[in-house]
Amino acid sequence: MSDTPFGFGLPPEEPENGDEGKKKDPAGGGQGSGGQGGNPFGFGGLPGMGGADNPFAAMFGSMNPQDLGAAFQQLGQMLSYEGGPVNWEMAKQIARQVVAQGTSDGTKDASVGPAEKAAVEEAVRLADLWLDQVTSLPSGAGTAVAWSRAEWVEATLPAWQQLVDPVAERVGAAMGDVLPQEMQAMAGPLIGMMRSMGGAMFGQQIGQAVGVLAGEVVGSTDVGLPLGPAGKAALLPLNIEAFGKDLGVPSDEVRLYLALREAAHQRLFAHVPWLRSHLFGAVEGYARGIKVDTSKLEEAVGQLDPTHPEQLQEALQQGMFQPEDTPEQKAALARLETALALVEGWVDAVVHEAAKSRLTSADALRETLRRRRATGGPAEQTFATLIGLELRPRRLRDAARLWASLTDARGVDGRDGLWEHPDMLPTATDLDDPDGFVHREQLDFSEIDKMLGEAARGDSEDEGGKE
């Protein structure tokens, strides 16, 4: 698996005939090699025009009218975009296209029927009853919903935007820096076009990735992050059916086990108010330390042909992104990986405690999901591809063992009480020495938080008296 961001290809529906035109015109220089007379985009000449550079040559080639129209439409979308670092409207369109095509096993998306909705609602209701007995955190799911794949795309895109924009912003800034400083003032339109195309390319990559992921996730929390709306436990019946197809486990047990995981995630994110910002802030901190190989970007821009946007896509795949090897970047990466491991480890431990005496298949389902993680399941692969990170399964298992040990040593309340403050959580070092952490004296932040709260209320009252 590639460990570089945005590693997915273009969706199959994108026109490819431009490649044929390029092959049939070897003199056209569709790849933008040297000898293009200084043309930075590598356009070839039209036949019969003496090889003169013509920016429309590569657009025509051997395209039929339908492909030509699609190429112009795609180019127009790229060049007219004036938003942020990612063209999210394009991302949504492509994700919906990928979903509509169906998965590799031939399964097509479909609306969720009343019986499936009722089954999901009942599974989440029962899951919450079981979880009440193994965690002190109350239910976090105000509603339970059954989503189609297309509905999952629509509901999770805002969270993907928050995750991916910081990384894309770094690339957008680099695209404006590939020209010498003295030329940037004169090349404003060119820089604008590069950024527009960059936003479109990111939109294509993310749309493809999210569309593929929609065909495989079973809920809204598969990546250990709250991708869906707060307080809404969501499951995808079609994907749950595919997940359990060859397990030899009754479908209602599979659904209930996955409902337990979804409901446990919802409890954590609903009742640990700082957790969401902590996780997304760690992603932003990691993104700030990413550097872009501008030499590769310059080469890609010099060879850019607007009718072959896959050239820029290929550049995005070829190691342009590298984290800075600094103490700050290493700390940001460790912070994010550890936080995600703690979330997933807590869910794993709590769900196992709730299910082990009630579901005969609990151990098998737990191990299946762990192997899915360890072999780079779809959620981990997409997360790694989109923001350049890959979760380490060893940390997830270590975290689960640590939470289980905390339950034995301190009880449910003592274990869950660690979520009251981020400084109380185990660190990456603690995951290496769980026994040392379990038997360490606890830090109590409750009095400090109480004092800070009283001070804040006092300041507010003082300000009110002055009015």
Side-chain angles (χ1 to χ4, degrees), residues 274-293:
W274 54 265
L275 183 56
R276 179 186 173 92
S277 60
H278 179 77
L279 288 168
F280 282 78
V283 173
E284 293 175 5
Y286 174 80
R288 282 194 296 270
I290 288 177
K291 61 182 179 181
V292 179
D293 188 339

Side-chain angles (χ1 to χ4, degrees), residues 4 25 52 63 76 192 221 235 306 378 401:
T4 57
D25 182 17
M63 283 186 178
T221 54
L235 295 176
R401 284 194 292 268

